[in-house]
Amino acid sequence: MTATINTTEYGIYTINTRTAELAWQGMSEFGVDDCQTEGRLIEWQDAPDDRGVEYLLDWAVENGFISSYDLD
């Protein structure tokens, strides 16, 4: 499964989403929005990557790390 991630700062990219951990790693590599302060970086590092891919992606949208996503 893949996810197309939409961000304000880094544009659109596609990542592998077999697991939430892989999705988190992909988003970390390609960029997430509003992660410039230490507090936001810590919040991103503590993202819930143990509850499934869709939960992580929904959480990332709700918390302003990505704008939106589409799963394939």
Side-chain angles (χ1 to χ4, degrees):
M1 179 168 39
T2 60
T4 301
I5 306 296
N6 300 301
T7 66
T8 302
E9 295 176 35
Y10 301 96
I12 300 171
Y13 57 85
T14 302
I15 58 170
N16 183 335
T17 57
R18 289 182 305 209
T19 67
E21 184 177 347
L22 283 175
W24 183 89
Q25 289 173 351
M27 289 188 289
S28 295
E29 179 179 336
F30 290 102
V32 292
D33 292 333
D34 191 25
C35 212
Q36 287 76 34
T37 66
E38 186 175 337
R40 287 294 281 174
L41 180 59
I42 290 169
E43 187 177 357
W44 175 248
Q45 290 172 341
D46 291 338
D49 64 353
D50 59 347
R51 296 184 183 179
V53 173
E54 284 192 71
Y55 187 90
L56 172 65
L57 295 172
D58 287 339
W59 178 90
V61 170
E62 286 178 21
N63 287 279
F65 289 104
I66 62 175
S67 300
S68 63
Y69 70 90
D70 292 310
L71 285 176
D72 294 329

